């Protein structure tokens, strides 16, 4: 079964994760795909293929013991941002004109809205009917890893030992929570969860969450002079003191941001919750310190303990962990060049399972899959790019210059 047939099979499984669930996986339906993958792996000869009680799928394709052990990791769940049920995927030849996804509802995929399509003329796209996401994030990665494993087993080239890991719940930030790094026994790994062909990602945001609580003092507004302290109003003042240009809608590339996620309040008390992001370690600390400085200023203005700030770090830039092993990046880039793919190092404006795994002791940059427009109804995958991405995985594992 080739990579495209596999992909079309996998997207037929509804695997939407649920951020409000406290189980792992967050939805039982993810285990249905997990078991199907185990069965497929066993059938192709991966003897240790199994799914653990938490829905993580593992397997090994043994290789030359003189070569490193390399992991390939993808996630099985799809994002809850759009429906992942009853996906109607089909392949179309892109001729440069708008693609009609749904004639009845007049839904079109257009290069005007999604300019990357301009690079896809003459190629084949896998699209939806415009009512669901596609699931290329990250079933494209799953399919490419499976195709790579089958190639190694059937053709028996000299290759590194391959460790396969398929995770649940990546889309709700839990994909690395229960990943068995010690049992995985890889020297390093790649998540296969990117997009545009040639993409290799090894920088991501440092991330923190901030909770700002404001205490007020209520009194009848008719006699409020010099007595009323309006917590909601002070909360708005706090927000106004953060730099406007550091809001996410005004930032790109390596620029960090502070984002007001949600707020609630009354005269007596108010709460603001923020996410703080920056690639640069020093700027990340400066952003967090600004929150504390504003609280000190407002306390001096309105009284001690008026404003309380609590900040908790969420994850860190994987670059710190990748710098000592940059050969992992070089091997992927060199493999791309040998296949005629232009490597593109892109900073991730978010987090990845690979970032967390890197801090758990498994260096783990991210590779492209050929998917586009993730998390929405206009998601699509480029057939020729997916096929090249599968070849890229084989190329990395069979690199004649591989050494431990």
């Amino acid at each position: 079964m080739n990579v495209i047939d596999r992909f079309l099979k996998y997207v037929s499984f509804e695997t939407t994760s649920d951020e409000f669930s406290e189980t792992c996986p967050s939805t039982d339906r993810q285990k249905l795909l997990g078991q199907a993958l185990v069965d497929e792996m066993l059938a192709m000869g991966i003897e240790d293929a199994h799914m653990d009680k938490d829905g993580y799928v593992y397997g090994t394709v043994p290789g030359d013991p003189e070569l490193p052990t390399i992991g390939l990791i993808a996630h099985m769940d799809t994002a809850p941002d759009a429906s992942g049920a009853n996906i109607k995927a089909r392949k179309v030849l892109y001729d440069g004109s708008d693609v009609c996804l749904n004639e009845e509802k007049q839904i079109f995929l257009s290069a005007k809205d999604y300019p990357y399509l301009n690079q896809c003329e003459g190629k084949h796209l896998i699209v939806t009917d415009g009512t669901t996401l596609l699931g290329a994030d990250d079933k494209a990665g799953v399919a490419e890893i499976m195709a790579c494993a089958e190639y190694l087993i059937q053709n028996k080239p000299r290759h590194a030992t391959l460790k396969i890991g398929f995770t649940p719940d990546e889309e709700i930030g839990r994909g690395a929570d229960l990943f068995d790094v010690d049992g995985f026994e890889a020297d390093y790994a790649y998540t296969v969860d990117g997009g545009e062909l040639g993409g290799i990602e090894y920088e991501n945001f440092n991330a923190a969450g901030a909770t700002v609580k404001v205490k007020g003092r209520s009194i009848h507004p008719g006699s409020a002079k010099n007595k009323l302290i309006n917590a909601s109003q002070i909360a708005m003042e706090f927000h106004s003191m953060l730099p406007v240009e550091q809001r996410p809608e005004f930032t790109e590339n390596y620029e960090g941001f502070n984002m007001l996620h949600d707020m609630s309040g009354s005269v007596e008390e108010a709460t603001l919750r923020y996410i703080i992001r920056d690639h640069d370690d020093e700027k990340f600390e400066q952003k967090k310190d600004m929150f504390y400085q504003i609280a000190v200023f407002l306390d001096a203005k309105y009284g001690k303990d008026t404003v309380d700030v609590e900040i908790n770090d969420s994850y860190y830039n994987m670059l710190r962990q990748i710098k000592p092993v940059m050969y992992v990046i070089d091997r992927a880039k060199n493999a791309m060049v040998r296949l005629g793919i232009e490597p593109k190092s892109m900073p991730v404006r978010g987090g990845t399972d690979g970032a967390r795994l890197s801090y758990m002791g498994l260096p783990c940059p991210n590779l492209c899959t050929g998917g586009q427009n993730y998390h929405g109804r206009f998601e699509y995958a480029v057939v020729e790019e997916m096929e090249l991405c599968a070849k890229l995985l084989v190329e990395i594992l069979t690199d004649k210059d591989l050494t431990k």
Side-chain angles (χ1 to χ4, degrees):
M1 186 187 300
N2 66 32
V3 63
I4 303 306
D5 290 338
R6 281 194 164 89
F7 175 65
L8 292 173
K9 174 184 174 182
Y10 301 156
V11 299
S12 70
F13 288 80
E14 181 186 358
T15 57
T16 310
S17 48
D18 179 5
E19 61 187 315
F20 300 107
S21 169
E22 296 182 358
T23 63
C24 183
S26 63
T27 52
D28 285 339
R29 53 187 173 243
Q30 294 179 63
K31 283 190 171 182
L32 298 178
L33 175 57
Q35 188 56 56
L37 290 169
V38 169
D39 293 343
E40 191 176 331
M41 291 162 72
L42 290 170
M44 72 169 69
I46 300 177
E47 296 178 358
D48 68 341
H50 68 283
M51 178 170 60
D52 69 14
K53 63 182 180 60
D54 299 307
Y56 289 73
V57 173
Y58 302 100
T60 306
V61 181
D64 189 327
E66 297 299 315
L67 299 179
T69 297
I70 301 175
L72 295 177
I73 300 168
H75 64 88
M76 298 177 288
D77 66 316
T78 57
D81 304 80
S83 173
N86 301 313
I87 293 171
K88 296 178 175 62
R90 73 183 196 279
K91 186 165 69 171
V92 300
L93 176 63
Y94 183 61
D95 62 6
S97 59
D98 291 354
V99 179
C100 181
L101 302 179
N102 192 308
E103 187 171 356
E104 179 183 352
K105 298 183 178 181
Q106 288 294 286
I107 301 173
F108 292 87
L109 178 65
S110 170
K112 179 181 178 182
D113 298 320
Y114 305 105
Y116 188 77
L117 281 168
N118 290 316
Q119 301 181 41
C120 300
E121 189 168 350
K123 297 180 180 179
H124 295 83
L125 310 180
I126 299 176
V127 299
T128 72
D129 68 350
T131 65
T132 69
L133 51 67
L134 175 62
D137 182 15
D138 184 27
K139 290 168 185 172
V142 175
E144 288 154 12
I145 292 170
M146 291 291 279
C148 169
E150 184 175 59
Y151 179 90
L152 297 178
I153 291 168
Q154 290 185 351
N155 292 277
K156 297 180 172 56
R158 181 175 185 260
H159 65 86
T161 293
L162 167 60
K163 289 286 186 173
I164 297 169
F166 297 135
T167 67
D169 293 338
E170 187 272 350
E171 295 291 4
I172 55 174
R174 304 179 199 167
D177 282 4
L178 299 174
F179 192 92
D180 184 9
V181 171
D182 291 337
F184 200 55
E185 296 184 327
D187 296 307
Y188 56 88
Y190 301 92
T191 49
V192 188
D193 190 21
E196 180 179 337
L197 183 67
I200 177 166
E201 301 161 339
Y202 52 94
E203 299 178 79
N204 62 280
F205 277 143
N206 295 298
T211 301
V212 179
K213 293 184 177 180
V214 184
K215 293 179 181 177
R217 183 171 64 208
S218 181
I219 193 169
H220 191 285
S223 54
K225 187 172 182 178
N226 299 325
K227 303 182 184 75
L228 175 69
I229 300 175
N230 191 323
S232 289
Q233 199 156 288
I234 295 171
M236 289 189 289
E237 185 175 354
F238 183 101
H239 183 66
S240 72
M241 295 178 72
L242 292 168
V244 172
E245 71 275 9
Q246 291 183 17
R247 295 176 186 172
E249 58 267 39
F250 303 124
T251 64
E252 61 182 352
N253 300 323
Y254 285 96
E255 297 169 338
F257 60 77
N258 307 305
M259 176 181 172
L260 177 61
H261 186 271
D262 58 77
M263 60 188 294
S264 61
S266 64
V267 173
E268 283 283 342
E269 57 184 18
T271 301
L272 306 169
R273 292 200 306 149
Y274 291 86
I275 61 173
I276 303 170
R277 302 288 189 266
D278 209 295
H279 286 90
D280 183 271
D281 292 351
E282 184 176 350
K283 290 179 181 178
F284 180 56
E285 295 303 323
Q286 290 171 353
K287 282 181 169 59
K288 292 189 290 183
D289 189 55
M290 184 184 302
F291 277 70
Y292 293 121
Q293 290 179 22
I294 293 172
V296 169
F297 173 83
L298 292 175
D299 273 3
K301 183 176 181 179
Y302 294 105
K304 185 180 179 182
D305 298 328
T306 298
V307 179
D308 176 73
V309 172
E310 180 180 343
I311 299 178
N312 294 301
D313 291 350
S314 304
Y315 53 82
Y316 300 105
N317 190 344
M318 77 168 85
L319 181 61
R320 296 187 205 171
Q321 304 302 311
I322 299 298
K323 273 185 175 179
V325 291
M326 281 299 290
Y327 60 83
V328 173
I329 305 302
D330 293 338
R331 286 174 178 172
K333 287 183 175 179
N334 291 338
M336 289 179 181
V337 170
R338 290 194 297 272
L339 291 174
I341 301 169
E342 179 186 355
K344 302 168 186 175
S345 297
M346 308 170 183
V348 181
R349 290 182 59 80
T352 74
D353 273 353
R356 292 186 58 203
L357 290 169
S358 293
Y359 280 90
M360 291 164 66
L362 180 65
C364 196
N366 190 39
L367 297 174
C368 53
T369 66
Q372 291 284 333
N373 298 349
Y374 291 162
H375 294 203
R377 297 179 296 116
F378 296 96
E379 183 182 7
Y380 66 92
V382 184
V383 168
E384 290 81 0
E385 293 188 4
M386 286 184 63
E387 291 171 341
L388 267 175
C389 289
K391 290 179 180 178
L392 171 62
L393 303 182
V394 172
E395 189 69 22
I396 291 171
L397 287 156
T398 58
D399 183 354
K400 62 181 177 58
D401 294 325
L402 270 180
T403 56
K404 284 206 172 188

